[in-house]
Amino acid sequence: MRRMLSAALLTAGSVLILAVVLFGRSHSSAITAPPPQLTKTSQRSPATPFSATTLGGQKISLGSLRGKPAVINFFAAWCDPCKREARDFARLEHHYGNRISLVSVAVRTTSRTNLDAFLHTYEMTWPVIWDRSGTITSAYAGMGQPITYLLDDQGRVVYRIIGQTTERRIASLLDQLLPAA
């Protein structure tokens, strides 16, 4: 009798857990988080200066990004979350065009062939830096990837996203930085 009661309780508990998980997954789109908020102007700190050459041979520095909001994304060609967010960056670049500066920094990527394939696959036409030495990455405290920084038009950090992000999330932040059209 005790064995049957234990089995019945275990079965009922398992069914309840499964029902909660399935309900949560099917209704997760109904849960909407408030849009992310930028760091207050008085609390913004300058981004770490850097200077590098893009894969296309263009000299780029933090100073060259000033004058408009900037998005700096650290990624690795082998990183699955980086792959999942790459198309979102392509859409951002297409949507905002020259109203923002978009720069990607390839980290922990050992093969130029793999890096070129990643750029081609995800249609990355904006400046990409290959940080083979890790100098820029370590200056931005990048212990993993992807990491994305949003800078204001004066080169100050307004938001940092650790992990995979979306076009929608970054766009909501950029729309706060850009003047209304």
Side-chain angles (χ1 to χ4, degrees):
M1 182 72 173
R2 223 176 195 176
R3 202 178 259 178
M4 285 178 38
L5 181 60
S6 293
L9 287 174
L10 182 62
T11 302
S14 298
V15 168
L16 180 63
I17 290 171
L18 181 61
V20 168
V21 169
L22 292 176
F23 180 82
R25 285 187 177 206
S26 66
H27 289 82
S28 64
S29 62
I31 302 170
T32 55
Q37 297 298 307
L38 301 175
T39 304
K40 293 179 183 175
T41 305
S42 62
Q43 297 175 335
R44 296 177 185 174
S45 58
T48 305
F50 67 87
S51 181
T53 303
T54 67
L55 291 173
Q58 170 190 7
K59 296 285 185 192
I60 193 167
S61 67
L62 179 63
S64 69
L65 302 180
R66 290 204 172 127
K68 52 188 162 184
V71 178
I72 304 173
N73 174 252
F74 292 82
F75 76 97
W78 48 265
C79 161
D80 285 333
C82 301
K83 292 174 184 177
R84 288 191 296 268
E85 74 179 9
R87 293 206 194 280
D88 287 307
F89 284 103
R91 285 189 292 272
L92 276 172
E93 197 266 341
H94 177 73
H95 178 77
Y96 288 97
N98 64 4
R99 295 188 300 151
I100 66 167
S101 295
L102 176 59
V103 176
S104 289
V105 181
V107 302
R108 298 176 184 88
T109 300
T110 56
S111 163
R112 174 68 190 253
T113 303
N114 291 347
L115 182 54
D116 288 341
F118 187 95
L119 302 182
H120 177 74
T121 299
Y122 299 104
E123 301 173 1
M124 296 173 67
T125 58
W126 56 92
V128 176
I129 300 166
W130 187 10
D131 189 23
R132 288 179 286 209
S133 67
T135 307
I136 299 170
T137 306
S138 62
Y140 278 79
M143 295 304 293
Q145 64 284 321
I147 296 177
T148 303
Y149 285 83
L150 274 80
L151 312 179
D152 64 15
D153 59 355
Q154 296 176 35
R156 298 176 301 185
V157 177
V158 296
Y159 205 82
R160 180 175 75 162
I161 302 166
I162 298 174
Q164 182 180 337
T165 191
T166 63
E167 173 190 12
R168 183 175 165 186
R169 185 174 186 188
I170 295 174
S172 71
L173 293 162
L174 288 172
D175 289 344
Q176 295 175 56
L177 284 171
L178 291 165

